[in-house]
Amino acid sequence: MLEVVGLSKRFRHHRTAAVADLSFRVAPGEIVGLIGLNGAGKSTTIRAAIGVSLPSAGDVLVDGLSITHQKASASRALGWVPESPVHDANRRLGQLLRYYSRMAGPDARGRPLDALADWGILPYSDRPFRTLSMGERKRFALAVATLRDPTYYLLDEVFNGLDPAGVAQVREWMLAQRRERHGVLASSHQLRELQALADRFVAVHEGRLIGEFSADAIPVSTQSRLQIVFRPIDDAGVTLLRSFGEVERTSNGVSVTGKSLDAAAINRALVQAGYNVARLEATDPDLEAHFLELVRSQR
């Protein structure tokens, strides 16, 4: 069991604590989503759990071992993917991975470069770390985290910077970790991705726990939402969709939110009006709505 116990973290020159008396658990074979607004304390919590930041109070226990007082032993069971991975800028990926493999000792996988192959970056093994894009850095961080097959993974905004193929691979990988009885603690602003993956959620706001609930406990929304990609996206098409619900433009299409939306009727109306509908899919806003309601209740 990974246990965060009364964790508090206060930084110098800050009047309020970044994290205050936070407690929750992650069991093997469980994915837990850590959710919160910017500055809520998610990254601080994960950094304390992995042992790179000492708590001001409380502790993190990894199968009963204190990350504060028994770090060398406790950290053997942990794999970490930071929000912004940082490594020696001028070292080549193959060199870095071999170095981390030696640090892992007998627990490391036999062929460390296989980890690069797993994440599609083996052709980059001779490239310096500084030349990688953000998505490639995330893939490298995942390769490092999986070197010794830890019991628990701590993933901080793991989807950031990844292209759609990378997001899909991480999604499938996380589900595989659950099947193999690994525990996963994942923070993300991409709540729809987390809702599709997590068994439970820990919601934090301004450093404090404001809710802990299972995926099954999320209230069913009376509203539904459709993501639609059609061409051309023009004012007339947006006006047409407003007859079905509230319309919001997205990066490559629109979203329509309303009560009991009829996807077939919307598709038919767009086609009859001369639009080419490339994609129309339902998304579930319930986790987002539930979390925002928890935040509003704190005011």
Side-chain angles (χ1 to χ4, degrees):
M1 187 78 69
L2 175 67
E3 302 173 84
V4 177
V5 184
L7 180 69
S8 295
K9 179 65 179 180
R10 183 181 294 273
F11 294 102
R12 292 180 61 186
H13 311 304
H14 286 244
R15 289 187 298 176
T16 59
V19 175
D21 195 25
L22 186 61
S23 297
F24 63 88
R25 296 180 173 185
V26 180
E30 181 181 43
I31 299 174
V32 175
L34 181 61
I35 59 177
L37 303 177
N38 287 336
K42 303 186 300 299
S43 293
T44 299
T45 300
I46 288 177
R47 288 174 62 82
I50 200 68
V52 299
S53 177
L54 289 175
S56 303
D59 204 350
V60 176
L61 304 179
V62 185
D63 292 334
L65 298 173
S66 165
I67 198 68
T68 303
H69 303 293
Q70 299 164 290
K71 182 178 177 181
S73 299
S75 62
R76 290 195 183 99
L78 299 177
W80 178 39
V81 177
E83 180 176 6
S84 300
V86 177
H87 300 275
D88 188 326
N90 295 313
R91 284 292 185 97
R92 301 179 189 279
L93 299 195
Q95 293 175 320
L96 285 168
L97 208 63
R98 292 186 187 95
Y99 169 72
Y100 292 133
S101 180
R102 289 194 297 271
M103 286 182 62
D107 294 333
R109 62 196 303 173
R111 298 177 58 186
L113 289 186
D114 287 348
L116 295 183
D118 291 345
W119 292 101
I121 52 175
L122 182 59
Y124 305 156
S125 60
D126 288 329
R127 284 177 51 180
F129 180 78
R130 60 180 166 77
T131 67
L132 300 184
S133 68
M134 174 55 80
E136 291 162 352
R137 293 182 182 204
K138 277 291 172 67
R139 288 173 181 270
F140 181 70
L142 283 156
V144 173
T146 58
L147 269 177
R148 56 184 175 191
D149 194 33
T151 307
Y152 306 97
Y153 286 99
L154 308 178
L155 313 177
D156 193 357
E157 296 291 349
V158 68
F159 299 112
N160 280 10
L162 292 174
D163 59 19
V167 170
Q169 184 179 6
V170 170
R171 187 190 304 128
E172 292 305 312
W173 173 79
M174 288 174 65
L175 293 173
Q177 300 318 300
R178 179 168 62 192
R179 290 193 297 271
E180 295 168 11
R181 303 297 298 167
H182 296 274
V184 179
L185 175 64
S187 79
S188 180
H189 289 121
Q190 299 188 34
L191 299 189
R192 294 189 190 97
E193 286 292 345
L194 279 187
Q195 183 167 359
L197 294 167
D199 303 290
R200 289 191 300 111
F201 300 92
V202 173
V204 293
H205 183 59
E206 297 179 349
R208 296 183 179 277
L209 179 71
I210 61 171
E212 187 172 359
F213 49 90
S214 70
D216 294 337
I218 298 172
V220 177
S221 175
T222 59
Q223 299 284 95
S224 55
R225 180 182 298 169
L226 297 175
Q227 295 287 345
I228 309 171
V229 177
F230 64 96
R231 296 290 182 268
I233 298 177
D234 54 18
D235 291 342
V238 171
T239 299
L240 171 62
L241 291 175
R242 285 200 178 107
S243 64
F244 293 93
E246 182 180 343
V247 179
E248 180 182 352
R249 287 182 182 263
T250 62
S251 58
N252 64 344
V254 300
S255 69
V256 181
T257 304
K259 191 171 184 179
S260 303
L261 292 177
D262 187 336
I266 292 174
N267 183 72
R268 187 166 54 250
L270 286 168
V271 171
Q272 289 176 350
Y275 293 98
N276 176 25
V277 180
R279 181 166 62 90
L280 191 155
E281 63 182 15
T283 60
D284 193 343
D286 292 340
L287 174 59
E288 178 182 310
H290 186 52
F291 168 67
L292 292 176
E293 183 58 36
L294 285 173
V295 171
R296 282 191 290 269
S297 71
Q298 304 303 305
R299 295 172 182 169

